[in-house]
Amino acid sequence: MVAPIRAVPNAAKRATSLLRTIQYTHPPSCPCHSNPGYHNQPPSIVPRIRQPGVRRYATPNEPQKEYAFEMAASSIRFGPGVTKEVGMDFKNLGSQRVAVVTDRTVEKLDAMKQVIEGLTREGVNFQVYADVRIEPKDSSVKEAINWARPYNPDAFLAVGGGSVMDTAKLMNLYTAYPDADFLDFVNAPLGKGRPVDKPLKPLIAVPTTAGTGSETTGTAIFDLVSKRAKTGVAHRNLKPTLGICDPLNTRTMPPAVMAASGLDVLCHSLESWTAIPYYERTPRPSNPILRPAYQGANPISDVFSFHALRSTVKYLPRAVKNPDDFEAQSEMLLAATLAGVGFGNAGVHLCHGMSYPISGQNPAGYRHNGYEVPQALIPHGVSVAVSAPAVFKFTGASNPERHLQAAEVFGVDISNVKRESAGEVLADALARFLDDLGDQPKGLKDLGFGSEHIDALVEGTIPQARVLMLAPGLSNELQTERDQLHRLFEDALSH
């Protein structure tokens, strides 16, 4: 059983307590340690035994497996009203040319009012770029970069959701590398996967949604239109210098946005909780700078991921059904940040890998209810969660204990559940949770996909190597992987 993580009444105290975990040489008991049967011990201390669904240890002719993990996370300031401090932060940094990045909706909200007042009060010079596209495409990212390069800011400030924060990260990156081609840093195989080999300018992120956790990660995602798939850049040097998490800024989220954002948190935590262990990842990097941001499940990420899962299951339904439930909204913002620490180092896998072509292809021009945007849109959280029941039914055999522990969080009595039923039990619990949340698609068919679209979805998923390599039970052989993904998309057509 998972050792309980004691609740702390005050959300800010809980954030401080959990974030302090990173600083300790010997972290407190975590779910992974309390269940030694999960995540086989590192290769140096166990026999070479094949476990069901877990990739075998390397032979002398195979690439060496990883033997270490790194933890990287932004500094976090959490508390109602902390947005007003941002001007002092940039003054303390000595910044004089701040690029404020936002979108046209957030530009009108109180969060931006607080930011502008704070910068002005402290005498910090700034310019505002407010043309960020929701669910950004490579074209909108390039427009933002082209705005930033001649301005040449000495710091960046992102105010908005994941799209704004990710766009600001890319503006920061490509301003630091003015001669770089756009695909130089994009994840392979769609891009060249060039490592970020120097520090970037300070970036402060002020999230106005409770979902992506982008305020603490080194990941930036966008839609590469020519390939009809989402991709991005992932490197720890992209992570914000500081994430300012102010629960007052998420009160303006419509229920549909709260639900979709929260589903992203749900899948961040579940996928990082069930990813292959870090010491099963190959190849071992020849230089630490080549160690990826997404490394596989590890004992520190486990603490953050599991706690975020518990909080999301408890508070997301409340936050969606009652916009005035400030406690639930605050807890969801905290859960998003904690999940960001977890998946930002452990990584995600199949739900996210499959989501990128789902949202990128959108063959029927689906536009989610509650989103006031002119263009067709499958929100990221919706595109991720729609495959979740099928995904965790598939991955259950790889580590039944961990899947059962997750099912227990949803209220399932697992005392008499057989190990071989773990994936199915978690899948059923997820499907019920999605149904109870309301106004969610009951499979890909509700988004306009049919069997005739599956081949294109599979081909759009294959390039997502950085997340697929963390998926338990997924084959390393390309044709077998295609067949597995085809079955997963078939199962995800309806649930």
Side-chain angles (χ1 to χ4, degrees):
M1 298 292 291
V2 176
I5 301 174
R6 298 185 181 277
V8 179
N10 184 279
K13 288 182 179 178
R14 183 181 304 142
T16 302
S17 174
L18 284 169
L19 289 169
R20 192 179 295 122
T21 303
I22 293 179
Q23 301 172 4
Y24 293 149
T25 302
H26 300 290
S29 176
C30 75
C32 184
H33 288 157
S34 65
N35 180 16
Y38 174 76
H39 279 358
N40 308 307
Q41 297 301 315
S44 60
I45 57 175
V46 299
R48 296 171 182 264
I49 300 175
R50 175 80 179 208
Q51 298 293 331
V54 178
R55 298 171 188 181
R56 59 185 171 82
Y57 299 133
T59 65
N61 294 325
E62 292 178 322
Q64 284 188 307
K65 294 191 176 182
E66 182 61 276
Y67 70 106
F69 66 92
E70 296 185 23
M71 289 298 296
S74 304
S75 295
I76 297 295
R77 183 181 301 146
F78 186 101
V82 293
T83 306
K84 65 178 177 290
E85 298 180 356
V86 72
M88 291 181 278
D89 289 316
F90 282 109
K91 186 176 182 179
N92 293 338
L93 288 168
S95 304
Q96 284 301 315
R97 294 173 62 82
V98 177
V100 181
V101 185
T102 190
D103 63 45
R104 291 300 177 185
T105 299
V106 176
E107 186 182 30
K108 303 178 181 68
L109 302 180
D110 189 61
M112 271 296 289
K113 178 183 177 181
Q114 293 287 321
V115 161
I116 291 173
E117 287 180 355
L119 293 171
T120 303
R121 184 170 55 247
E122 299 300 328
V124 178
N125 296 316
F126 66 91
Q127 287 191 19
V128 176
Y129 181 82
D131 289 327
V132 171
R133 178 190 172 104
I134 304 306
E135 303 293 341
K137 298 182 182 297
D138 54 342
S139 56
S140 68
V141 171
K142 290 175 183 177
E143 290 172 3
I145 294 167
N146 290 337
W147 176 90
R149 278 176 167 166
Y151 179 51
N152 193 28
D154 60 8
F156 289 81
L157 171 60
V159 186
S163 298
V164 169
M165 290 185 279
D166 287 3
T167 299
K169 292 175 186 177
L170 295 169
M171 293 166 74
N172 193 5
L173 172 64
Y174 287 95
T175 302
Y177 292 87
D179 298 324
D181 180 76
F182 185 70
L183 290 178
D184 280 354
F185 295 98
V186 173
N187 299 318
L190 294 174
K192 298 177 183 177
R194 174 180 168 185
V196 183
D197 56 4
K198 62 182 176 181
L200 305 183
K201 296 289 172 46
L203 164 62
I204 295 179
V206 183
T208 58
T209 61
T212 66
S214 190
E215 65 274 9
T216 189
T217 74
T219 303
I221 301 297
F222 59 87
D223 188 4
L224 190 61
V225 176
S226 62
K227 300 294 184 181
R228 301 188 69 202
K230 281 188 181 287
T231 183
V233 180
H235 193 278
R236 55 184 56 84
N237 284 2
L238 264 67
K239 65 183 176 61
T241 309
L242 172 67
I244 294 181
C245 300
D246 186 343
L248 298 180
N249 292 337
T250 62
R251 293 180 302 172
T252 55
M253 276 195 296
V257 179
M258 171 64 78
S261 300
L263 291 176
D264 198 19
V265 182
L266 183 75
C267 291
H268 282 159
S269 51
L270 273 172
E271 289 173 77
S272 54
W273 173 250
T274 56
I276 66 168
Y278 70 93
Y279 50 78
E280 282 289 327
R281 196 189 74 250
T282 57
R284 181 187 300 179
S286 58
N287 186 304
I289 197 174
L290 300 176
R291 182 166 283 120
Y294 287 2
Q295 302 165 82
N298 62 77
I300 300 180
S301 285
D302 285 341
V303 176
F304 291 89
S305 299
F306 194 75
H307 188 84
L309 173 63
R310 290 175 53 164
S311 292
T312 303
V313 171
K314 180 177 180 179
Y315 291 108
L316 180 58
R318 282 176 47 181
V320 171
K321 292 174 183 177
N322 182 5
D324 296 323
D325 191 336
F326 184 67
E327 179 191 18
Q329 290 184 4
S330 298
E331 293 289 348
M332 280 308 302
L333 178 59
L334 179 58
T337 302
L338 297 177
V341 177
F343 91 85
N345 292 280
V348 288
H349 54 79
L350 282 166
C351 293
H352 274 74
M354 295 168 65
S355 79
Y356 298 143
I358 291 172
S359 57
Q361 295 178 15
N362 195 0
Y366 176 90
R367 185 169 65 182
H368 196 61
N369 289 334
Y371 275 73
E372 297 180 2
V373 292
Q375 72 273 14
L377 176 68
I378 301 175
H380 175 63
V382 173
S383 70
V384 170
V386 72
S387 69
V391 163
F392 292 102
K393 182 178 179 180
F394 169 78
T395 60
S398 65
N399 39 60
E401 293 86 357
R402 186 136 311 188
H403 285 67
L404 289 175
Q405 289 162 1
E408 190 174 33
V409 172
F410 288 90
V412 176
D413 180 0
I414 64 170
S415 56
N416 295 313
V417 176
K418 296 180 181 179
R419 287 166 49 90
E420 56 266 30
S421 301
E424 186 174 354
V425 167
L426 178 55
D428 289 344
L430 275 165
R432 286 195 301 272
F433 183 83
L434 294 172
D435 288 345
D436 292 344
L437 201 60
D439 203 25
Q440 298 302 315
K442 298 182 186 298
L444 290 172
K445 285 184 177 179
D446 286 355
L447 299 178
F449 289 91
S451 300
E452 69 275 16
H453 299 114
I454 290 180
D455 286 343
L457 289 169
V458 170
E459 293 309 309
T461 305
I462 291 292
Q464 311 301 330
R466 72 187 182 92
V467 294
L468 296 185
M469 68 183 294
L470 300 174
L474 195 66
S475 174
N476 288 320
E477 196 276 318
L478 183 57
Q479 186 54 52
T480 303
E481 182 183 47
R482 277 197 171 94
D483 293 342
Q484 290 175 318
L485 290 171
H486 198 282
R487 288 193 295 272
L488 280 166
F489 278 114
E490 284 181 336
D491 289 346
L493 286 173
S494 63
H495 60 75

